[in-house]
Amino acid sequence: MIGILSVMTYLPLLGVLGIALSGSDSRARLDENVKVLALFVSLIVLGLAVYVGLHFDVSGDKAATFQFVEHFSWFPSLGLTYHMGVDGIALCFVLLSALLVPICIVASWKSVKHRVREYMAAFLILETFMIGMFCALDLVLFYIFFEGVLIPMFLIIGIWGGYRRIYATFKLFLYTFLGSIIMLVGLIVLYKTTGTSSIPDLMKGAPALLSPSLQGWLWWGFFAAFAVKIPMVPFHTWLPDAHVEAPTAGSVILAGVLLKMGGYGFLRFSLPMLPQATLEYAHVVYALSLVAVIYTSLIAFVQTDIKKVIAYSSVAHMGYVTAGLFALTVPAVQGAIFQMLSHGLVSAALFLCIGVLYDRLKTRDMDQFGGVTQVMPRFAVVFMLFILAGVGLPGTSGFVGEFLVLIGTYIVHPWVALGLATGLVLGAVYSLWLYRRVMQGPMTRDAVKALSDLSRREQLIFAPLIVLVLWMGIFPTAVLSVLEPSVRQVLSPYASNPSLVAPDFSSPHHALDAPEPTLPHQDEHNEKGHQ
Amino acid sequence: MTMAEISVFSTLFGFLLAGLWGRSLGVGLTNFITITAMAISTAASAWLFYDVAVLGHPQTHMLGTWIQTGGLDIAWALRLDALSTVMMLVITSVALMVHVYAVGYMHHDASPQRFMAYLNLFVFCMMMLVTADNLVQLFFGWEGVGLASYLLIGFWHEKPSANAAAMKAFVVNRVGDLGLALGIFAVYLHFGTVQFDALFAALPSVAGQVVSFAGYTLPVYDFVALLLFVGAVGKSAQLGLHVWLPDAMEGPTPVSALIHAATMVTAGVFLMCRVSPLLELAPLAQQVILLVGMATALFAATVGMTQFDIKRVIAYSTCSQLGYMMMAVGVGAYPAAMFHLFTHAFFKALLFLGAGSVIHALSHEQDMRMMGGLRTVIPWTYRMMLVGTLALSGIFPFAGYYSKDIVLESLFASQGSLAYLSYGVGAFVAFLTAFYSWRVIFLTFHGKPRADERVMAHAHESPAVMIFPLLILSLGAIGAGYVGYEAFVGHDREAFWQGTLAVSQTHDVIEAAHHVPAWVKWFPLEVAALGIALSWFFYRYNPALRRRLVDGLGAVYRFVYNKWYVDELYNFLFVRPARALGRFFSSGVDAGVIDAFGPHGAVALSQGIGARLSRFQTGQLPFYGAVLFAGASLVMLYVIVRGAWV
């Protein structure tokens, strides 16, 4: 009954138990043991995730379906079921989460000095919730994990954060909690109307059971939660504050995984379950995405806090994601997911880079740096590489995501693509400006002159990220082919929709050649919805 | 490994070895590795040129899949045909000379290993660009050379001006890349492919179709061609996006020779030639290209007349010569454009490396007002620079004479008022070119030394490792025109190009160019001679008259000297507004509106209500939670009722 996904999800909790039970005569010894234990557990989870990835059927009959499924009755009296499984999309996010947690633990090895036990426990709990959320195939389970993520994140920022951490946690809480509550309402309505809490069933059958007006209400309900989470302008102001106050590893998870929960939510709920509402309101998403790309890029340009630059750039990058998702073509949605994965690696790495600087100088003010390249040549290379991946240089993962989003959007909405593409220029402006002010120029400050280059531990953190960013940039097909069947499944309600302008060429290169619709016809939707 | 893979990837290996382990390998070993990689690439390219272009065996090597999803199928592949192998020959031969030269030039630098690694990286990206079989791989190389250019312009990263120039180059190029990217998307939308052969085969399918664009309608061909041309404008520093090229001279001089004269900046011309079958169907786009090329040639030549930094003069001359190439593209004389690209690579690299030798001799002095009288101090450099200058000013029988003439003849032969105008402008630019390039010679090598005595005492001829590449390049500057003429633009051109360059069905411009009136052929040479004579008159014979003339021209001179104030204009139009907007959005909108009415507003509101409703406001968080929950519950109730109702 219990399968590998559940083992992966709850193993970190077992680790927490171990941490709680561990004891030693000396504080330092204890902290050391706890770190080793946490790392060990997270590495096992990563191993399990890789095992799932290797045994995932990408080309056979099951490619488009959920695999490694666990399904049994949970609270029969309430009609709740325990339902886990992964499709290509979820698998990639599980892998991303499982990769980032051990990196976070190693990154915090030296920089976290007080309450080490609690800190490591918080990260392991966080891992449980993250992986659980991506594997959950039941509404109730999904909601529990989705909300649960907030608790350890809240603590990580609130306890190990910077000077204004209480303000930041409060803002984070206010925004995401409000959004989630509204989504909860939506989930309840969804359950009440359709009579099932199974996400795969809902993905197949919900459009037929929901009237257009109800779809609209639900769409906005989900939008509230996911638009805040990803975040879209104007619901983004919690993010820069949260990032600035969060400890390095907190920022890594925040940017690397938490933002992606919003995009994942759109993919799981809004797109497949509410196709009519999605088509009706897509223009709202385009507009907000365009604003996000241009508006936040300009803001990023004038920041003096290094972390705020990257935080705002995250919002801009997520603008590509939301636009790509709602362009509803295979390349655009593939690109949006790829962009999320890529950004998960790249922004995580950039926050780690900032952490490297912060650990040494205890400041994130650009003006306190300058000329760092001269004393930290290795770090300069690493930082440059991720800056370039951030601006989408071909050969890095950042390019593939942006390119697919843009080309997939262009073939249906050229103007939207044109607006988004200005991000190519704006992104280069703020990224290179950041690099120039921090890393280049004359070295005038004594504190900078005393900096030491990357330690072995720090090199170890960056190595897997560098390899993955380049690998995904040069051979992205491995990832794209895992995603493609699931993406086509998500887009199946739109395959025959005339309101999506299909490009008119007779060649085999057809952008919208999604499989035949698996849903009943639109006329039936309304009838059933009204019953 | 095939020859094609060796030619492209050996420099990638060189880059990785030198880049990752250069520090521990040491200078000597790193030089050896990078130059060996470069020499292997050159030898392989020469062999491929012989096999593909001379013997006529075009081929495409598939390396693997790059991006494949939802109908898109983009491959990693090496496309070897006449056009790409000509480019490979030019790139590798100039790059090899620059690599050797750099060993001497960067001898005193703190990290020559990093420099050599970047050079190898550049060559790899450039080879990927020219051997691309589809537009997206071309874009990979295109942005890759942009990166290498950025890294090399900013090579002396402790120098703020170098960093500024590097960033400017990257960002301005990105504006062009934006156009190229949109062009690629448009190609995919309208033709369903980004692969060259498939694209050319699909061209007839959109005949007569138009694109509506901001109230205008444009034929699909013109629309796509213009978008691609925006990319070329950025990379080839055409008027409008040229501002990065003069500043790029902040980089070490070997970089200026290789990237900002011989190879990378010609990528725009190459791209236009690569998509020439498309351009042939886009007459409107061709006219725009002709006009932009004309404006660039004229603009850069006028500015080049007034500058005093020796490298900037040569940079503006590069800009101007690229204008010539674009003009040739604009009238469909693609072989002429490629021919000028070919010869220009040799004599311009020669001029830059010569200038580098001058700068090297004078302890990094670049201002020509501080030079003079170097003819006897650095005689070999002087001779080589003379060869380059003769070629640039188009004097028979040097390389520039052949290629510039065929460009101008093609302009004349393409007929129509715009064509005749462009011929006139082209001839005038030839006059200006001769004038300012000889101005460089006179100011630098003739007259009395103006450098102070200490510098002059140190002035010395460059070592053999720097002079040898100059000698080789000067062979190209002398002979490339004569040797290449028949194959590139003469009787053998059809056999040579093997259909890689489109030829108009109705009017073969190159053929017509051979039959223009005799005066059309002689005129450019005459005005060039006049330019040299005037240059001599003003800079050697009667400098006082020149000074009076400059004073008399006052405002006009200042306008030209300040590069037509384009930088100032862009600063006013883009840079400052972007900052102001950013600040406004940051403090005005984000903090002032969104936060004020969002979370802060909610807090203030609830505090107001809370103060009135509740006496025990100790813990804030539970209270807000309660407010939120109550509000959310109301919403939930409403939705459930409504949902059940609907």
Side-chain angles (χ1 to χ4, degrees), chain B residues 624-643:
Chain B
Y624 301 130
V627 170
L628 274 174
F629 192 74
S633 310
L634 282 175
V635 176
M636 176 157 50
L637 214 75
Y638 176 74
V639 172
I640 289 175
V641 170
R642 229 195 107 91

Side-chain angles (χ1 to χ4, degrees), chain A residues 167 171 181 237 295 312 334, chain B residues 66 69 157 189 590 595 600 632:
Chain A
Y167 171 77
K171 216 166 168 182
I181 286 286
T237 57
Y295 173 88
Y312 275 110
Q334 285 269 56
Chain B
W66 185 12
T69 184
H157 53 73
L189 172 61
D590 246 26
D595 271 359
H600 298 177

